[in-house]
Amino acid sequence: MMTPSAPPPGDGRIEARATDFAVRLAFLGLFAWWSLDLVRPFLPIVIWAILLAVALYPAYAGLARWLGGRRGLAATLLTIVALATVLGPVSVLAASLVDSVHWLAEGLRTGSLRVPPPPAALKDWPVLGEPVDEAWKLAAGNLDDAVTRYGPALLPAGGVVLGKIAAIGVDVVKFVASVVIAGFLFLPGPRLATGARAFASRLIAPRGAQFVDLAGATIRNVSRGVIGVALLQALLAGIILYLAGIPGAGLIAFGVLLLCVVQIGPAPVLLPVLIWIWMTHATTFALVITLLLLPVALLDNVLKPVLMARGLTTPMLVILTGVIGGTLTHGLVGLFLGPVVLSVFYDLVVAWTRLGAAPAGPGDPDASSGA
């Protein structure tokens, strides 16, 4: 009868080490989950602050050199300029909205509010022409009857609009907080970047530092190619409409800015404006405004590919896919996170494919560098 063989003496130690590793990993995961749960309310603000600090750091470094190395003063001035850039248009928009609501309420109270008759060509529009023409004529003839008839149907939509406006107000407050936090990140920026490279090198050796640099370059290129071009388009459209005497030029420019940032383009705002101009103004005037606004609408098709791909080896299609997909999935913050994630993943796949296709030999220079 054969006796069972005793387990090798090393098995017990391996089992003890595996158990110890599992317990440590469980505690580490618990503390990581707990820490994430604690900072989750502040996570969007912190992410925006990091993105702003990375995007604006070249401007901060140049301003600090121009001020003779006074980095604190440069950070303060840049933060003030960024806050003015955010709060200026928001203040103008809020004041315009308050004035419009006050004018509408006063007109309804005194009975002085009058709706002009609809244009004759409106009834011939496909699908929506006749019902819109009917509602417009009713409002032009008797505004009280129009409010009584269509008011109940418009109340739910009004509630949704008010909810969206309130959400935008909260987002503006969060963005202002992010701008202030980003101002405090400029001074320790090099030290934080070194720490991020060291952490990434431990996580994705040996290319971690390279991926951190790639993420920073992508954020700066997206900020120039998307935010910068959107600001330029909104500014040009606002100037053209203001000089042409079009009412609400500032509000229209703000709409152009929002649609360009979220990658929809200015057409949903500018096209109705152009239709209204052609219907209410002289043909020569409408033609000149159209010829001026058309290059503004197409400006991003020329500048965006140049600015977003500058200095990057990642294909433009990958970056644009990240911009659009990130915006659709995660909103405005995804505008930056999307291309960063896809660019890093693309470089990871390319590096892994090259290593698998051509393994480095003992005399290969890549073998010693770990590339």
Side-chain angles (χ1 to χ4, degrees), residues 274-291:
L274 288 176
I275 292 174
W276 177 81
I277 291 175
W278 278 93
M279 294 173 60
T280 57
H281 291 73
T283 303
T284 304
F285 178 84
L287 181 61
V288 171
I289 298 299
T290 303
L291 292 177

Side-chain angles (χ1 to χ4, degrees), residues 66-129:
W66 185 72
L67 293 174
R70 287 177 284 186
R71 301 170 61 217
L73 179 60
T76 302
L77 290 177
L78 191 57
T79 303
I80 292 174
V81 171
L83 286 174
T85 304
V86 174
L87 294 178
V90 171
S91 301
V92 173
L93 181 63
S96 175
L97 183 61
V98 170
D99 290 342
S100 300
V101 172
H102 182 267
W103 170 80
L104 182 61
E106 186 68 17
L108 289 173
R109 186 182 65 83
T110 60
S112 60
L113 185 62
R114 292 289 183 269
V115 177
L122 179 61
K123 186 168 56 176
D124 299 329
W125 287 13
V127 184
L128 296 177

